[in-house]
């Protein structure tokens, strides 16, 4: 039994959403990536490119919760002792301030610090699993696959930041594990407009080689 199916307009073709088998997976909507004065902005990035995703995500999350469907969140970060931080990641970029150092909102990308936490607009509700991941992909060194399998989830609506880094890595990991991924383009963001465009085109190219692309309004209509 597949249960109820909703057809969602998408590219490269309609996505057959089975709500009972679907989870909304919100990637790394963390203060250090999105807030003015955070680590992302400190590196010279234009956070407005990411902040435009907050309101569409807020609306989609509200509709998804109202429909009683599964929600999961991820955060990129490391243990306070940095034992799970690869030395290569620590030194990459040759920055004066890197992961684990004191930043504008506490130690950068360290669990428990203010900047590592999820922005208040999209804060997890009780009962919504939060996956703390040390890598870019949500499936590397986490228990997300087990959690999804225990709930018989086979479809993921993936949102968050950044499109070409943590969203893309996660979609590719999920796709290889047999999940169908649907990406609402207004709910994912990149600091770089050209990567936003190409990141989305790569997902839906070649017959949907990594997944499907739609917009949040189509999903909200389908689950309403
Ligand atoms: N969450 C995520 O995408 N982490 C990053 O480091 N992204 C960048 O674009 N740098």
């Amino acid at each position: 039994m597949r249960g109820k199916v909703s057809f969602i307009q998408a590219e490269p073709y309609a996505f057959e959403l089975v709500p009972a088998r679907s989870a909304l997976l919100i990637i790394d909507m963390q203060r250090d990536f999105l807030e003015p004065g955070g680590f992302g902005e400190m590196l010279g990035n234009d956070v407005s490119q990411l902040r435009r995703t907050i309101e569409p995500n807020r609306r989609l999350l509200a509709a998804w919760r109202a429909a009683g469907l599964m929600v999961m969140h991820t955060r990129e970060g490391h243990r306070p002792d940095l034992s799970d931080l690869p030395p290569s990641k620590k030194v990459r970029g040759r920055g004066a301030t890197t992961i684990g150092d004191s930043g504008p909102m506490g130690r950068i990308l360290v669990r428990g610090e203010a900047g590592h936490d999820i922005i208040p607009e999209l804060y997890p509700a009780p009962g919504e699993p939060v996956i703390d991941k040390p890598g870019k992909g949500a499936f590397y060194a986490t228990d997300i696959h087990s959690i999804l399998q225990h709930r018989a989830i086979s479809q993921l609506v993936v949102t968050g930041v950044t499109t070409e880094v943590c969203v893309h890595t996660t979609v590719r990991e999920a796709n290889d594990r047999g999940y169908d991924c649907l990406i609402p383009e207004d709910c994912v963001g990149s600091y770089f407009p050209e990567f936003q465009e190409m990141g989305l085109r790569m997902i839906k190219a070649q017959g949907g080689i990594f997944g499907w692309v739609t917009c949040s309004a189509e999903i909200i209509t389908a689950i309403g």
Side-chain angles (χ1 to χ4, degrees):
M1 261 297 284
R2 283 216 306 165
K4 180 185 152 212
V5 180
S6 300
F7 289 85
I8 298 180
Q9 286 301 319
E11 292 183 300
Y13 54 87
F15 187 87
E16 296 180 29
L17 184 83
V18 184
R21 298 279 171 268
S22 301
L24 174 62
L25 178 59
I26 306 178
I27 304 290
D28 298 359
M29 292 294 276
Q30 291 161 258
R31 297 184 62 197
D32 250 336
F33 292 128
L34 285 125
E35 293 197 346
F39 180 52
E41 191 174 74
M42 197 181 96
L43 294 176
N45 293 304
D46 174 10
V47 294
S48 69
Q49 296 289 340
L50 306 193
R51 295 192 64 78
R52 62 163 187 76
T53 69
I54 296 174
E55 185 53 25
N57 264 293
R58 200 192 55 71
R59 284 197 299 267
L60 178 59
L61 177 58
W64 199 266
R65 283 173 174 160
L69 307 180
M70 187 183 182
V71 178
M72 293 183 84
H73 309 256
T74 70
R75 301 184 293 202
E76 180 178 354
H78 298 276
R79 297 169 184 248
D81 66 3
L82 305 183
S83 55
D84 60 350
L85 175 63
S88 60
K89 188 175 180 184
K90 171 72 178 163
V91 301
R92 186 71 53 80
R94 297 176 171 171
T97 307
T98 62
I99 295 169
D101 294 342
S102 287
M105 295 189 217
R107 293 178 68 203
I108 293 162
L109 294 191
V110 169
R111 295 176 194 156
E113 302 288 333
H116 170 265
D117 210 356
I118 293 173
I119 58 171
E121 295 92 329
L122 300 175
Y123 210 74
E128 295 175 354
V130 177
I131 303 293
D132 277 319
K133 61 186 184 63
K136 303 305 181 192
F139 288 77
Y140 170 67
T142 75
D143 52 8
I144 189 173
H145 189 50
S146 328
I147 294 174
L148 292 169
Q149 285 192 315
H150 297 158
R151 305 222 191 160
I153 299 293
S154 60
Q155 301 183 329
L156 298 175
V157 173
V158 186
T159 76
V161 299
T162 65
T163 307
E164 78 280 14
V165 182
C166 292
V167 173
H168 239 267
T169 307
T170 298
V171 167
R172 290 171 186 232
E173 288 180 330
N175 186 56
D176 277 348
R177 286 164 177 77
Y179 296 92
D180 284 327
C181 293
L182 176 64
I183 292 82
E185 59 186 2
D186 51 332
C187 294
V188 296
S190 168
Y191 294 121
F192 307 97
E194 65 272 36
F195 292 167
Q196 172 77 2
E197 186 197 339
M198 287 302 167
L200 291 166
R201 282 174 63 180
M202 281 185 217
I203 287 167
K204 65 190 177 189
Q206 303 184 69
I209 194 121
F210 297 129
W212 285 254
V213 176
T214 187
C215 64
S216 59
E218 296 286 352
I219 301 174
I220 291 169
T221 301
I223 62 174

